[in-house]
Amino acid sequence: MTEARVEVRLAPREDGGREPITVEDELRSLVHWLRADETLAHGLVSRLEAQRPAGEGEMGAALDVVALVLGSGLSAGALAVSVLQWRDTRRTGRPLVVRRGAWEVHVPPGRPADEATLARLVALLEAADDGEPDAPDASGGSGEGR
């Protein structure tokens, strides 16, 4: 795998409910989890970023995405497993969205990830920068990038 940029974010809750933990706190937890994973120590840079500028009356933009830079020595499988393990430890009703370029994988909340989800994530992480993932239905939905 060559160096690539991947974004991880939490989508709005599917049930429309509210959570006591903020999206930023959840994403900080993910960054901490990934940095503590020894299998990812070489080849992964992670940081929190804001996708949108600060709104009127806000002191700063909300940090709402984890930006990952994947180096050539990183195992896509190890990263996918680590992200899914983190998600499985969280009590959130929010789907997890992993994006690389125009391609996304949506991981639904509320149940442990299955083999198909893991395969879609690995395909997304291993995809060539100018092509599409090799796994069928790699977008996690319609099979088309968004």
Side-chain angles (χ1 to χ4, degrees):
M1 172 186 336
T2 60
E3 190 171 286
R5 178 183 164 92
V6 174
E7 295 178 351
V8 181
R9 65 180 170 82
L10 292 171
R13 285 180 60 114
E14 293 176 341
D15 61 8
R18 296 187 52 120
E19 295 178 74
I21 300 173
T22 68
V23 169
E24 186 173 333
D25 289 340
E26 287 289 317
L27 294 177
R28 284 184 190 282
S29 169
L30 174 58
V31 168
H32 179 73
W33 179 278
L34 295 174
R35 288 179 180 168
D37 188 333
E38 293 176 2
T39 64
L40 305 176
H42 304 290
L44 179 68
V45 176
S46 58
R47 68 177 179 270
L48 281 167
E49 294 181 352
Q51 284 188 322
R52 64 173 183 81
E56 189 173 327
E58 295 177 335
M59 293 187 70
L63 300 174
D64 56 359
V65 66
V66 173
L68 304 173
V69 177
L70 306 132
S72 60
L74 182 72
S75 163
L79 177 58
V81 166
S82 190
V83 168
L84 292 175
Q85 286 175 334
W86 170 82
R87 197 287 317 247
D88 289 346
T89 67
R90 310 309 293 174
R91 294 179 186 230
T92 181
R94 294 175 179 269
L96 185 66
V97 180
V98 181
R99 180 180 187 148
R100 180 170 180 191
W103 295 91
E104 292 183 343
V105 173
H106 294 254
V107 182
R111 64 182 192 270
D114 57 18
E115 289 182 33
T117 301
L118 177 60
R120 287 193 310 268
L121 271 177
V122 170
L124 177 85
L125 296 171
E126 289 182 338
D129 288 331
D130 58 350
E132 61 185 65
D134 291 332
D137 196 19
S139 69
S142 64
E144 298 177 11
R146 300 190 258 176

